[in-house]
Amino acid sequence: MTFSTADRDAMAHALALARRGLETATPNPRVGCVIVRDGAIVGEGWHRRAGEPHAEILALAAAGDAARNATAYVTLEPCAHFGRTPPCADALIAAGLSRVVAAIEDPNPKVSGRGLDRLRTAGIATDCGLLADEARELNIGFISRMARGRPWIRLKAAASLDGKTALENGISQWITDTEARADVHRWRARACAILTGIGTVKADDPQLTVRDHSCERAPLRILLDPWLEADPASRVFQGASVLIVTAYGNDDFRAKPFAQRGHRLLPLPAPNGLIDLSALMRELAALELNEIHVEAGATLNGALLAAGYVDELLLYLAPMAIGNAARGIFNLPALAALDGAAKFDIRECAKVGRDLRILARADFSAG
């Protein structure tokens, strides 16, 4: 299918609308819709949060009667099933549209291809694949959960130029400057959850909240604490409920101080003192979490990387060298050859204040 410049402009506008739901749409995908008739936009909408109207419904409401014989540009295939809201495909048919252009098919097995099929059966011309790469990037976590059965894992680390995250005595505040630390909060805000390990809570007493950035929705905080070693007075337990992943059951006496404060326990196996990461990924997907932002220490970072669960590395490099007597980003076993190294594809490099932000994606095909 060859798309016109007008088609591309309309879908680009729909994607811009979808990005407005970057921080709020979870667990649903981020979706935008534009309705065009006779070369003019007559309606537009974007999905704000689960349970509220989908982008197509809002665009149809804005267009009114002008939607008849118009073209709808939507960043994700219209749904064809009853979920929290009725099927959007039926609403588009009832509005009398002549054409629907989708950026990508919905990866949800309940939908995939069925929404477009329903439109075609109703006599509406359909096209798919316009600005597909951009649409997939916008919903990379949702697609991961639907296609792979696990969330997209983005691991953040702040390090010196020689790859050190803290001094040998554990001091790490602050390697990066204020601008980089503020930038981290924008990445936290888009995530469904922020995950850390007990070692980080003991060493740094973090809050794991979104600050320095306006955010309508607080990401879920997840703590991996196999033996419930955390102090209930730690800062991470202040405010909203924390999901504690542990080897203990909810009826264990160690769990009571946390349950009494409203925190939730997720019991999972912990062979060799480490949470079973494959079981964890399944549980996080079952909780409808799309993107997980990890801020942890070298042990958990290394375990995630070794298991193949680090999809993306968000690395902030400060212009300093700390030396050998310091802590690194990953604890990994020694390699006999470079062929065994975890490899990444650098997607972006940007200066943030005096620091450098690198966004690198795991290259599972390289090695």
Side-chain angles (χ1 to χ4, degrees), residues 139-154 277-292 304-305 307-312 362 364:
N139 282 303
I140 200 162
F142 179 77
I143 293 171
S144 174
R145 180 164 65 87
M146 291 297 166
R148 303 190 299 176
R150 69 172 182 85
W152 182 261
I153 305 298
R154 182 179 295 114
L277 294 179
S278 62
L280 174 65
M281 294 299 151
R282 291 193 296 270
E283 291 293 337
L284 296 182
L287 290 171
E288 297 187 306
L289 300 173
N290 297 328
E291 293 183 18
I292 307 295
L304 288 166
L305 185 64
Y309 291 137
V310 177
D311 296 306
E312 206 162 51
F364 296 115

Side-chain angles (χ1 to χ4, degrees), residues 15-312:
L15 284 164
L17 291 170
R19 290 187 188 97
R20 296 185 185 181
L22 185 70
E23 299 172 4
T24 60
T26 181
N28 288 351
R30 300 139 179 165
V31 182
C33 179
V34 172
I35 297 176
V36 176
R37 180 172 172 177
D38 298 328
I41 294 176
V42 295
E44 61 181 45
W46 56 280
H47 183 51
R48 185 182 184 93
R49 58 171 54 89
E52 294 187 6
H54 288 189
E56 299 96 317
I57 304 304
L58 294 171
L60 288 171
D65 292 340
R68 187 161 298 278
N69 296 319
T71 297
Y73 297 87
V74 60
T75 59
L76 187 70
E77 175 185 8
C79 61
H81 70 295
F82 282 89
R84 294 180 176 92
T85 58
C88 291
D90 291 351
L92 292 167
I93 292 167
L97 287 153
S98 63
R99 182 183 179 219
V100 173
V101 181
I104 56 174
E105 286 191 3
D106 193 326
N108 186 342
K110 296 179 180 178
V111 179
S112 187
R114 294 176 186 151
L116 293 173
D117 284 345
R118 186 174 295 187
L119 295 171
R120 293 188 195 103
T121 300
I124 297 175
T126 63
D127 296 299
C128 188
L130 177 57
L131 301 185
D133 289 344
E134 292 87 338
R136 279 190 286 267
E137 283 296 317
L138 184 60
N139 282 303
I140 200 162
F142 179 77
I143 293 171
S144 174
R145 180 164 65 87
M146 291 297 166
R148 303 190 299 176
R150 69 172 182 85
W152 182 261
I153 305 298
R154 182 179 295 114
L155 190 152
K156 171 262 173 181
S160 60
L161 289 177
D162 53 346
K164 304 303 181 183
T165 62
L167 302 180
E168 191 175 26
N169 61 12
I171 293 175
S172 63
Q173 298 178 344
W174 295 104
I175 288 178
T176 53
D177 216 340
T178 54
E179 292 92 337
R181 298 200 298 274
D183 190 65
V184 170
H185 287 268
R186 287 188 282 273
W187 287 91
R188 284 184 179 182
R190 68 171 285 169
C192 303
I194 303 169
L195 183 147
T196 195
I198 181 59
T200 297
V201 168
K202 283 182 171 181
D204 299 335
D205 195 19
Q207 299 179 63
L208 298 184
T209 55
V210 177
R211 306 178 301 281
D212 300 324
H213 177 77
S214 177
C215 182
E216 294 183 33
R217 174 196 57 86
L220 173 67
R221 292 174 294 172
I222 303 173
L223 170 62
L224 272 56
D225 186 2
W227 310 128
L228 287 180
E229 300 174 78
D231 182 347
S234 298
R235 294 200 302 170
V236 73
F237 298 117
Q238 297 174 12
S241 174
V242 174
L243 179 65
I244 307 170
V245 185
T246 176
Y248 293 111
N250 286 277
D251 56 349
D252 191 278
F253 75 93
R254 299 171 185 83
K256 290 182 180 179
F258 302 100
Q260 289 170 351
R261 290 169 170 81
H263 303 298
R264 294 181 289 160
L265 265 67
L266 174 60
L268 285 181
N272 302 317
L274 295 174
I275 294 295
D276 183 329
L277 294 179
S278 62
L280 174 65
M281 294 299 151
R282 291 193 296 270
E283 291 293 337
L284 296 182
L287 290 171
E288 297 187 306
L289 300 173
N290 297 328
E291 293 183 18
I292 307 295
H293 177 99
V294 176
E295 295 192 21
T299 299
L300 179 53
N301 287 349
L304 288 166
L305 185 64
Y309 291 137
V310 177
D311 296 306
E312 206 162 51

